[in-house]
Amino acid sequence: MVTAAATFGRSGTHDFILLRASAIVLVLYTLFMAGFFLSTPDVTYQVWNGLFANIWMKVFTMLALSAVLIHGWIGIWQVSTDYVKAAGLRAFIQLVFSVGLIAVWLTGLFVLWGV
């Protein structure tokens, strides 16, 4: 059996499930945020700060950021292994995207939780 060292999950099936689950989380977060903006006539700093003062919103946002990390990680691995044949270029592309995804996740962690 071949092990997939570069994937986020343990196998192709696991990656498939992680992609679908992360996509569902991202759709739910997008729908929630769209509903918030459509139902709030004037989004001020106080309103925005009040929304993110709730613990459930912080958890939901971190869940969405984690979904972005998982989805992007698996997605860039799948796309680059399919379309970029040069191993060095593929490794560089994966490195750049991985560092970017981790930076986005860490930024969200620091902004939301004030770490």
Side-chain angles (χ1 to χ4, degrees), residues 58 61-62 65 102-115:
K58 289 181 180 184
T61 300
M62 282 310 301
L65 285 172
I102 291 168
V104 167
W105 191 88
L106 286 173
T107 302
L109 177 72
F110 295 147
V111 167
L112 282 172
W113 300 101
V115 177

Side-chain angles (χ1 to χ4, degrees), residues 39-51:
S39 66
T40 307
D42 190 26
V43 180
T44 62
Y45 175 77
Q46 288 77 20
V47 171
W48 190 252
N49 193 30
L51 175 66

Side-chain angles (χ1 to χ4, degrees), residues 49-69:
N49 193 30
L51 175 66
F52 281 91
N54 296 309
I55 189 73
W56 62 267
M57 189 60 194
K58 289 181 180 184
V59 171
F60 192 28
T61 300
M62 282 310 301
L63 183 63
L65 285 172
S66 297
V68 168
L69 175 69

